């Protein structure tokens, strides 16, 4: 099970790193810009999570494979980004997959460290969203998590799905992919069907 979680974690970092590099490509940055934003997006959310959980050591300091994964993803994207007519679509899908993986993995890690369920769910959502939030803020573009179609709700669904499945004694080998699939499916539906939550409306606000 440890190997499965580790592989999923590296995959999540790689996918989020690709989304960061694609964002750098949209801004036509140099290779160092690609690496910077790939790394920020790939490990940003997990770094905040580990600091708040007060873990023994931030995950990428303990295992530099995560950093090399970000560098590799950035370099690969540097050579392949020009193959896409538009970078916006692959950025959305890479971000959706990263969100689905990290909302569940972040929740799992928080539970393993003895955090209460509500805190663990929050940590899962934070792990899935903070890397993208930092990336978009530094690039001066509207944060993807504030887009009108569903984003944070998908992370919430993935985190809650894992908690519920774990509560009903599903094995982690089964709960992990099911929860990831739930989050990814909702985010994909939001992208394709433009699903949105109701907005707060107040006629007195001009």
């Amino acid at each position: 099970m440890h190997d499965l979680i580790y592989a999923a974690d590296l995959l999540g970092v790689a996918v989020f790193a690709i989304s960061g590099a694609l964002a750098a490509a949209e801004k036509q940055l140099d290779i160092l810009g690609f690496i910077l934003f790939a790394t920020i997006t790939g490990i940003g959310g997990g770094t905040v999570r580990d600091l708040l959980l007060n873990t023994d050591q931030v995950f990428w300091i303990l295992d530099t494979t995560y950093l090399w994964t970000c560098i590799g993803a950035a370099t690969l994207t540097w050579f392949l980004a020009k193959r896409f007519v538009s970078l916006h679509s692959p950025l959305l899908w890479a971000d959706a997959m990263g969100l689905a993986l990290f909302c569940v993995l972040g929740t799992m890690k928080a539970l393993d460290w003895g955090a209460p369920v509500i805190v663990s769910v929050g940590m899962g959502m934070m792990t899935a969203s903070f890397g993208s939030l930092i990336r978009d803020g530094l690039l001066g573009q509207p944060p993807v998590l504030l887009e009108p179609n569903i984003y944070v709700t998908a992370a919430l669904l993935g985190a809650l799905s894992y908690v519920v499945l774990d509560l009903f004694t599903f094995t982690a080998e089964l709960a992990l992919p099911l929860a990831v699939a739930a989050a990814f499916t909702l985010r994909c539906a939001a992208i394709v069907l433009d699903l949105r939550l109701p907005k707060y409306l107040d006629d007195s606000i001009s």
Side-chain angles (χ1 to χ4, degrees), residues 10 18-19 36 57 61 63 69 72 77 80 98-99 112 137 141 169 176 178:
L10 284 177
I18 290 171
S19 77
L36 172 64
Q57 199 165 26
I61 296 177
D63 183 357
T69 299
T77 307
L80 296 181
L99 174 141
D112 288 342
Q141 58 192 29
T169 66
L176 172 59
L178 286 176

Side-chain angles (χ1 to χ4, degrees), residues 127-202:
T127 306
S129 61
F130 264 52
S132 298
L133 182 64
I134 297 169
R135 174 198 70 202
D136 294 339
L138 289 176
L139 287 173
Q141 58 192 29
V144 65
L145 65 86
L146 296 183
E147 286 186 353
N149 54 28
I150 288 171
Y151 188 89
V152 175
T153 307
L156 174 61
L157 176 62
L160 284 176
S161 296
Y162 181 82
V163 168
V164 171
L165 290 169
D166 183 61
L167 181 65
F168 283 95
T169 66
F170 277 69
T171 63
E173 291 89 343
L174 183 59
L176 172 59
L178 286 176
V180 169
F184 185 65
T185 300
L186 179 57
R187 178 56 183 154
C188 289
I191 294 171
V192 174
L193 303 175
D194 195 26
L195 300 181
R196 306 176 181 212
L197 293 176
K199 288 185 176 181
Y200 172 74
L201 298 177
D202 188 343

Side-chain angles (χ1 to χ4, degrees), residues 34-72:
F34 273 59
I35 293 173
L36 172 64
F37 283 100
T39 304
I40 287 172
T41 313
I43 65 175
T47 301
V48 175
R49 175 203 64 211
D50 284 1
L51 290 173
L52 290 177
L53 286 174
N54 196 27
T55 59
D56 292 337
Q57 199 165 26
V58 176
F59 69 103
W60 53 267
I61 296 177
L62 187 65
D63 183 357
T64 57
T65 304
Y66 292 99
L67 292 177
W68 288 112
T69 299
C70 292
I71 294 171

